[in-house]
Amino acid sequence: MNNFNKLPAQAVPAMDVVCRGGGGITIVALHGIQGTRASWQPLTEALGEQVRWVLPNMRGRAAAFRGQGSADYSLEEFAADIARVIACYVTTPRYVLAGWSMGVSVTLATMALLKEQGVPLPQALILMSGSPVLQQTSWFHADGHEALLQEIATREQRLGLRDAADRDAVAWTWHSISQTDQRALLPTMDLPVLIVHGSADEDSPYAHARMLADGLPQARLYTIDQAMHSILTQNTAQVAEAMRAFISDIPTLRSSHEK
């Protein structure tokens, strides 16, 4: 789908990707700042064989490329990795790009990069528990690296994350992305978008879901009443239901989904 295979080997960061399921629709699913692809496991199980999942561990997580500092963990670096994942693992135009938490920010950055490269875009986006303006969130408060590592450990426990990410990578990621504002990108993404958000989200307040819905031309906002940030694990059935309904309403996906 693009020319990443022409890059010299030393310029290509290591990828850590698994594929699950055999459905006609491919969903490339991006995890949050402290998680790994394990965050998506409840949803992959709930949707069974209806979907072919492409599940990367993003850089700094598990066996993926590990950076040496915050410069290696910008949204642009994450997006370049995901563009290469799409080039290597997506074999159909009937694909969806989905992100939870930080994965929303990476999804938006990836869309901007794909448009710039002129390669095939996804048929739809699914954005969960995220924000288009991280500079208005308060995921972490500590300034010093050691204090931030302790705060990361506390949040890791609160969210009940499976296979949590390396804490240094999380700290460097937050230093790199915490002041980003992607609102200017939203009007350029004229494709169907499902936004799933808990009304009581403690990390990406519900107002941020409204920002996404107001800024994206074809957005549909599905609110889970009283749900918090960890909707993939705490509200799996409702998320799966919203995704099924959304996919069934998109003709280019529905024909594949129902095979």
Side-chain angles (χ1 to χ4, degrees):
M1 294 173 70
N2 58 38
N3 292 321
F4 278 110
N5 60 332
K6 295 182 180 179
L7 292 173
Q10 64 270 22
V12 179
M15 292 193 294
D16 180 8
V17 183
V18 299
C19 299
R20 295 178 183 156
I25 297 169
T26 294
I27 297 181
V28 181
L30 310 182
H31 58 72
I33 189 170
Q34 286 186 258
T36 64
R37 60 171 164 255
S39 302
W40 287 89
Q41 183 175 334
L43 199 56
T44 64
E45 294 173 353
L47 290 174
E49 294 299 311
Q50 297 170 318
V51 169
R52 175 180 179 263
W53 294 91
V54 175
L55 300 163
N57 278 323
M58 289 193 277
R59 57 174 48 205
R61 282 79 183 163
F65 168 80
R66 306 189 75 77
Q68 301 300 312
S70 57
D72 291 319
Y73 292 100
S74 68
L75 291 180
E76 291 75 18
E77 294 290 347
F78 282 117
D81 291 344
I82 300 308
R84 190 161 62 94
V85 168
I86 292 169
C88 293
Y89 290 91
V90 174
T91 58
T92 172
R94 294 189 176 102
Y95 82 97
V96 175
L97 186 56
W100 171 74
S101 193
M102 185 192 75
V104 169
S105 304
V106 177
T107 295
L108 297 177
T110 302
M111 279 293 293
L113 180 59
L114 295 177
K115 289 170 68 72
E116 179 182 308
Q117 293 175 339
V119 300
L121 300 176
Q123 298 289 316
L125 304 179
I126 299 175
L127 309 178
M128 304 186 190
S129 307
S131 170
V133 53
L134 292 180
Q135 64 183 214
Q136 293 183 16
T137 64
S138 301
W139 293 353
F140 305 103
H141 301 86
D143 292 326
H145 190 74
E146 292 303 318
L148 181 55
L149 291 178
Q150 182 56 54
E151 190 175 1
I152 287 166
T154 300
R155 186 176 184 267
E156 183 182 301
Q157 295 174 353
R158 172 171 63 82
L159 293 177
L161 295 171
R162 304 187 185 195
D163 300 329
D166 176 82
R167 291 171 186 168
D168 280 318
V170 174
W172 287 327
T173 300
W174 183 243
H175 283 309
S176 183
I177 73 174
S178 62
Q179 296 305 307
T180 57
D181 184 346
Q182 296 174 293
R183 286 175 290 185
L185 295 177
L186 302 182
T188 70
M189 299 185 186
D190 193 7
L191 76 172
V193 181
L194 173 65
I195 301 163
V196 185
H197 214 97
S199 66
D201 193 313
E202 71 279 24
D203 288 325
S204 298
Y206 187 69
H208 292 240
R210 288 288 184 191
M211 288 184 209
L212 287 168
D214 291 344
L216 291 159
Q218 296 188 55
R220 176 190 305 181
L221 175 57
Y222 181 90
T223 303
I224 303 178
D225 189 44
Q226 298 304 309
M228 301 179 74
H229 193 63
S230 297
I231 58 174
L232 294 181
T233 53
Q234 296 176 357
N235 307 91
T236 306
Q238 289 166 285
V239 173
E241 178 185 359
M243 288 179 62
R244 287 191 193 99
F246 176 66
I247 288 170
S248 69
D249 282 346
I250 301 174
T252 54
L253 294 177
R254 184 172 62 241
S255 59
S256 177
H257 176 62
E258 295 177 348
K259 288 182 180 179

